[in-house]
Amino acid sequence: MTDKQPQSRTIMVVGGGIAGITAAVEAAEAGYDVVMVEKSPTLGGRVAQMNRYFPKLCHPTCGLEINYQRIKTSKRINLFTLSTVAAVKGSAGAYTVTVKTEPRFVKPNCTACGDCAQVAETAIADPFNYGMKTVKAAWLPHTMAFPMRYVVAPEVVRTPEGERIKAACKIGAVDLDDQGASFDLEVGAIVWATGWKPYPAANLTAYRWAELPNVITNVEMERLASPDGPTGGRIVRPSDGAVPKRVALIQCAGSRDLNHLGYCSRICCLASMKHAAYVREQVAEAEVDVYYIDLRAHDKLESFMRRLKADPQVRFVKSKPARIEAGAEDNPVVCGENTLTRDVYAQPYDLVVLATGMQASVEGDGRLAGSYDDYGFVFTEGETIGAGVASGPLDVSMSVQSATAAACKAIQVVSGVRG
Amino acid sequence: MNALSPTPTKKYDLSFARWVYRNVDGGDRLALCMQCGTCSGSCPIGAQMDFGPRKLFMMIRAGMKEEVLSSNSMAACVSCYNCVVRCPRKVPVKYILQSLFTVAVREGYAQSVDSDNARFARAFWWSAAKFGRTDERLVTARFYFSYGLSAGFKKSMANLAIAKGMVKAKRMHLGLPHTCKNAGELRKILAKAAEIEARHAT
Ligand SMILES: Cc1cc2nc3c(=O)[nH]c(=O)nc-3n(C[C@H](O)[C@H](O)[C@H](O)COP(=O)(O)OP(=O)(O)OC[C@H]3O[C@@H](n4cnc5c(N)ncnc54)[C@H](O)[C@@H]3O)c2cc1C
């Protein structure tokens, strides 16, 4: 407790993934004004990039849609997309936050009709699909985008193509003079919900993700399996589009490894169970081998793993593979020691999926949150409030719980209960 | 200095493991091994080892001193360092094997004492201690003839062409071995080292 009275009762939430959305609606519904700052053109974060998510294997729409409704009906939430925090001054109760907004070149009156995309030609790598496909220079970030608004790529702005895109919009929503903005906001508390990024698979040199086309990561697998993904939801080999019959899932690709991520990312074992299920649902004859150190089905999710263990076409191999080699017909060959039988194996597969872990995305963003743990996650103490994976490797339900707790802490700060 | 033998009356004996943690180079990190198999899977000659590093480490923890020290695993290591760079717990696998190898030689375990590596190390050390330098010709000869007279002769003949090539390229010389300056100083250093080692052994 301090005798200092908070000067602003507004709560800022940085990051608009499932955690940031939750913190924002919880605080707003409790009667507090909220400013949301989201780096990408849309809310939803990584959850929107999943095909389905455990525990119930829902489509991401389930969780996101209801929250979008809560945001729409709330008069207290102000959302800034394509925005990041550039600087934080002051202290709890009275922060001055500098927000920087990148130009979208599309105004709020956009109806998402798609006329602009019809005339766009330049192809750019689609960040939503981890660059596995391209989008045209005027595009909707994804089918569940919120706000439901197109984006025009800066690459085409001062070109004839840009002018054609502008002309195609019947309601004049394309604004090629958009300069973006930089402005200061006074807020009383900041919730950091900046989430995670996949650990770079290229760092795992022995697994050769960068060289071997049929070695992919778990986040790429989510996109492959998604109906709105690069293959329309068909799980196929990137090299030749063939349906994979033998699939390897490699756990702890980077996690629990002092050379990479020193911690367990907690969700990858279950994410891989999901991937085994995706493959088995699509390809009746497919055989899936899961390579693991230990299987960690946290929380109440043991039953999901048991279900897959009962499937005779899903095999569990206790081994952290040592390396992957290039085999015939672009088949990656997984090599290592089976630690139960002590057999040294070299097993060819049609497709190998690396279960890469989650790394805090705040790392390298200027460390504005103030307090971090040894792994770069926001550490909630004193003035610092973290939520979701920004604060540690959590699944969706745990992220939502931590976001509710964060909203509660922020409310305490701005109402002078603690600070 | 002897590696402790586990007490047979106890079912699960950690005394050998603890001895290794304390006395073997890098042994303190052995406790962090999570038995993932990366080392054994990475080992280019793992198939020739009695036990791969992962299994050997588990045997250490299980107190199987005899089996560990009488295995060929330590002597077979070729120091490629794949295990060291890949180990997710930063266990210095190769260094531990090498240090265990020294223990096994010192305690007279035949697999280690008679191994190629130990024979070569003895020949190398003989030259280094005597001349302050290694003499390719004498080290090789001493290494070959450690297998006996006829085996030594056979090995020498089989490699004669290589030796000739090396002489021609001035990589091996005939005549008296090169020596270092101040051989007396070297002997004093070695005597001191022996004294320190003896002190630590008690
Ligand atoms: C392969 C895989 C599968 C998974 N499957 C499941 C599953 O089935 N079920 C489950 O419960 N969990 C699953 N997870 C975990 C799940 O993805 C996370 O729990 C969830 O994404 C956490 O949400 P979040 O809001 O904390 O972070 P994120 O989803 O990462 O959202 C963070 C948001 O912050 C934004 N942001 C980042 N930096 C900044 C910045 N500097 N300024 C402003 N905004 C910023 C981002 O653009 C993003 O919108 C899976 C994870 C992986 C790797």
Side-chain angles (χ1 to χ4, degrees):
Chain A
M1 282 261 226
T2 65
D3 46 8
K4 192 175 62 186
Q5 281 304 305
Q7 290 159 23
S8 169
R9 283 168 63 85
T10 301
I11 294 168
M12 174 175 277
V13 177
V14 187
I18 194 74
I21 293 172
T22 304
V25 294
E26 294 287 6
E29 287 171 7
Y32 291 81
D33 288 335
V34 177
V35 183
M36 285 188 86
V37 177
E38 164 57 50
K39 190 183 197 168
S40 77
T42 166
L43 296 183
R46 303 279 173 190
V47 171
Q49 288 171 287
M50 310 261 142
N51 173 35
R52 280 175 284 158
Y53 68 109
F54 57 74
K56 291 192 272 178
L57 295 192
C58 314
H59 190 264
T61 332
C62 309
L64 292 176
E65 189 59 32
I66 189 166
N67 280 305
Y68 291 165
Q69 285 307 323
R70 288 165 84 186
I71 293 174
K72 267 187 203 158
T73 50
S74 169
K75 291 190 174 56
R76 294 190 175 275
I77 300 177
N78 243 312
L79 168 64
F80 297 96
T81 53
L82 285 162
S83 301
T84 50
V85 171
V88 178
K89 286 200 204 84
S91 58
Y95 291 108
T96 304
V97 180
T98 308
V99 175
K100 196 172 177 307
T101 300
E102 298 297 328
R104 181 194 279 266
F105 305 108
V106 177
K107 292 190 284 193
N109 58 338
C110 167
T111 60
C113 69
D115 285 349
C116 53
Q118 295 294 324
V119 299
E121 287 154 15
T122 303
I124 56 168
D126 179 6
F128 183 72
N129 281 298
Y130 298 100
M132 296 163 87
K133 77 187 244 304
T134 57
V135 281
K136 289 287 151 61
W139 82 103
L140 191 64
H142 56 85
T143 47
M144 296 184 296
F146 184 99
M148 186 55 85
R149 247 165 99 190
Y150 273 65
V151 189
V152 172
E155 287 90 326
V156 298
V157 166
R158 251 163 289 281
T159 67
E161 184 182 348
E163 294 304 326
R164 282 197 297 279
I165 289 170
K166 183 178 174 172
C169 183
K170 293 188 193 72
I171 53 165
V174 175
D175 171 15
L176 297 176
D177 298 323
D178 188 348
Q179 301 285 320
S182 181
F183 51 92
D184 285 353
L185 293 171
E186 309 290 325
V187 301
I190 308 173
V191 174
W192 297 92
T194 43
W196 57 279
K197 55 190 173 194
Y199 184 73
N203 292 0
L204 308 163
T205 47
Y207 289 164
R208 300 172 67 181
W209 168 85
E211 300 152 64
L212 306 180
N214 295 324
V215 176
I216 64 170
T217 66
N218 51 4
V219 291
E220 291 171 337
M221 182 61 160
E222 291 289 344
R223 296 315 307 146
L224 266 186
S226 294
D228 60 346
T231 56
R234 288 180 60 247
I235 298 170
V236 292
R237 283 160 44 107
S239 72
D240 54 8
V243 173
K245 301 277 163 24
R246 291 194 47 80
V247 178
L249 309 176
I250 298 184
Q251 297 314 112
C252 301
S255 300
R256 300 178 70 191
D257 189 331
L258 297 176
N259 305 302
H260 301 284
L261 300 176
Y263 51 88
C264 165
S265 291
R266 201 189 248 131
I267 50 79
C268 327
C269 280
L270 286 159
S272 289
M273 293 306 108
K274 212 167 47 158
H275 298 163
Y278 293 169
V279 173
R280 292 288 294 110
E281 278 165 21
Q282 285 199 14
V283 191
E285 68 270 43
E287 293 187 355
V288 180
D289 290 351
V290 183
Y291 289 90
Y292 68 97
I293 305 174
D294 326 276
L295 288 168
R296 295 181 167 179
H298 65 274
D299 209 14
K300 52 201 174 290
L301 294 159
E302 175 95 24
S303 54
F304 185 30
M305 192 167 289
R306 286 221 201 96
R307 202 185 90 198
L308 281 141
K309 280 196 161 165
D311 181 341
Q313 279 161 255
V314 180
R315 204 166 62 106
F316 290 82
V317 186
K318 188 165 170 58
S319 168
K320 180 175 165 71
R323 65 185 189 284
I324 299 177
E325 288 182 354
E329 289 158 9
D330 279 329
N331 288 337
V333 181
V334 177
C335 307
E337 184 209 25
N338 180 324
T339 64
L340 296 182
T341 62
R342 222 213 125 197
D343 290 330
V344 174
Y345 57 81
Q347 190 73 45
Y349 290 95
D350 299 329
L351 185 68
V352 174
V353 185
L354 307 178
T356 46
M358 300 193 292
Q359 187 173 22
S361 67
V362 280
E363 186 79 56
D365 286 1
R367 297 179 80 82
L368 294 167
S371 174
Y372 293 85
D373 70 13
D374 291 347
Y375 300 124
F377 290 109
V378 174
F379 188 62
T380 299
E381 64 170 358
E383 296 187 355
T384 303
I385 308 171
V389 179
S391 67
L394 306 173
D395 71 354
V396 171
S397 75
M398 291 161 149
S399 293
V400 168
Q401 286 166 27
S402 87
T404 306
C408 196
K409 281 206 185 82
I411 288 170
Q412 288 175 334
V413 170
V414 299
S415 53
V417 179
R418 69 190 273 283
Chain B
M1 178 168 53
N2 272 12
L4 287 183
S5 273
T7 340
T9 47
K10 269 200 191 158
K11 262 222 163 99
Y12 196 73
D13 190 343
L14 275 170
S15 52
F16 179 54
R18 294 214 172 100
W19 186 90
V20 171
Y21 295 167
R22 273 194 292 270
N23 296 291
V24 163
D25 249 2
D28 53 333
R29 289 203 69 85
L30 196 61
L32 296 174
C33 168
M34 60 178 172
Q35 292 286 301
C36 68
T38 301
C39 50
S40 299
S42 299
C43 187
I45 43 108
Q48 283 128 269
M49 285 183 175
D50 292 338
F51 318 108
R54 179 198 57 77
K55 185 162 184 186
L56 199 77
F57 292 170
M58 201 60 209
M59 289 164 65
I60 291 172
R61 289 176 180 175
M64 299 165 74
K65 179 191 169 188
E66 282 304 312
E67 293 85 341
V68 168
L69 292 183
S70 53
S71 77
N72 74 352
S73 302
M74 295 86 74
C77 171
V78 293
S79 303
C80 74
Y81 289 86
N82 266 340
C83 52
V84 178
V85 297
R86 288 185 190 153
C87 176
R89 310 304 303 228
K90 294 204 168 160
V91 177
V93 181
K94 180 254 155 189
Y95 296 92
I96 293 175
L97 290 187
Q98 189 171 329
S99 189
L100 276 175
F101 180 47
T102 314
V103 175
V105 170
R106 196 171 50 218
E107 298 200 7
Y109 286 89
Q111 285 258 41
S112 290
V113 174
D114 298 337
S115 66
D116 294 351
N117 273 356
R119 286 169 192 278
F120 183 79
R122 281 192 293 267
F124 186 94
W125 181 241
W126 167 81
S127 173
K130 196 170 170 70
F131 308 117
R133 300 227 169 163
T134 57
D135 181 298
E136 277 78 13
R137 178 191 38 160
L138 297 182
V139 169
T140 312
R142 218 177 153 90
F143 172 52
Y144 286 166
F145 283 96
S146 76
Y147 293 91
L149 213 57
S150 73
F153 190 71
K154 260 194 214 140
K155 282 177 196 278
S156 306
M157 285 301 121
N159 288 292
L160 199 60
I162 297 176
K164 277 183 182 161
M166 284 178 76
V167 171
K168 215 169 168 186
K170 293 201 166 41
R171 290 276 166 247
M172 191 187 266
H173 81 288
L174 306 170
L176 288 177
H178 295 306
T179 53
C180 68
K181 289 179 203 144
N182 262 335
E185 286 299 305
L186 174 69
R187 259 180 281 286
K188 272 194 218 159
I189 293 170
L190 293 178
K192 186 76 188 171
E195 185 199 317
I196 293 170
E197 198 175 18
R199 209 188 306 146
H200 278 276
T202 52

